[in-house]
Amino acid sequence: PDSYFVIKEPSKPPSHFFLELDRGTMTDKRFQGKISSYVSYKKSGEYFDNYHTNSLKVLTIVDTPTTNRLQNLRQTTQEVKGIGRMFWFAHLPDITNQDPLTTPIWHVAKDKHPISLFN
């Protein structure tokens, strides 16, 4: 990932995140391979061994002006088995112009409507 971070809310377990910044240069096939690697990494137990948690969301921030790239990455991700609700997507302008934690700007790979990262 481009980054790893943890957010701790009062009275809740910590939430762990990998962050990917997509600039639109990766092919669908290569991106799908990356998604498969994340799924394998978590299922293998190595993620737990390294971070001592099973909590993980992979946030992909898309730095392109059109919605096509975001939708394409979501579609590509949906084709990978075992993704669950681990992969979330948002546009960079939405991240910088709104509260990225509580505003419903995140698109989970298999969900139809955007949601907030935290309620």
Side-chain angles (χ1 to χ4, degrees):
D2 294 314
S3 186
Y4 166 78
F5 61 96
V6 178
I7 296 177
K8 295 179 182 179
E9 291 183 278
S11 305
K12 292 186 179 180
S15 298
H16 296 253
F17 301 90
F18 283 161
L19 179 68
E20 291 284 345
L21 180 60
D22 178 79
R23 298 194 182 270
T25 59
M26 191 177 295
T27 65
D28 290 348
K29 186 174 182 173
R30 187 167 166 229
F31 185 78
Q32 196 171 57
K34 194 172 209 177
I35 296 301
S36 294
S37 294
Y38 277 129
V39 171
S40 295
Y41 178 55
K42 189 164 186 239
K43 285 184 177 182
S44 73
E46 288 181 66
Y47 173 75
F48 182 85
D49 292 344
N50 290 329
Y51 296 96
H52 308 290
T53 184
N54 283 316
S55 166
L56 176 62
K57 287 185 177 113
V58 179
L59 307 179
T60 300
I61 299 173
V62 179
D63 184 20
T64 56
T66 66
T67 59
N68 293 345
R69 178 67 178 173
L70 187 144
Q71 295 305 329
N72 190 48
L73 292 177
R74 284 180 65 211
Q75 180 66 36
T76 299
T77 301
Q78 289 173 15
E79 295 171 5
V80 177
K81 292 182 181 179
I83 61 167
R85 294 181 50 82
M86 190 166 56
F87 298 95
W88 298 50
F89 301 86
H91 281 111
L92 183 59
D94 291 337
I95 298 290
T96 57
N97 295 326
Q98 301 175 70
D99 180 347
L101 301 179
T102 61
T103 306
I105 58 171
W106 294 96
H107 301 266
V108 179
K110 290 189 174 184
D111 289 359
K112 292 187 184 214
H113 303 289
I115 59 173
S116 61
L117 204 53
F118 296 102
N119 295 330

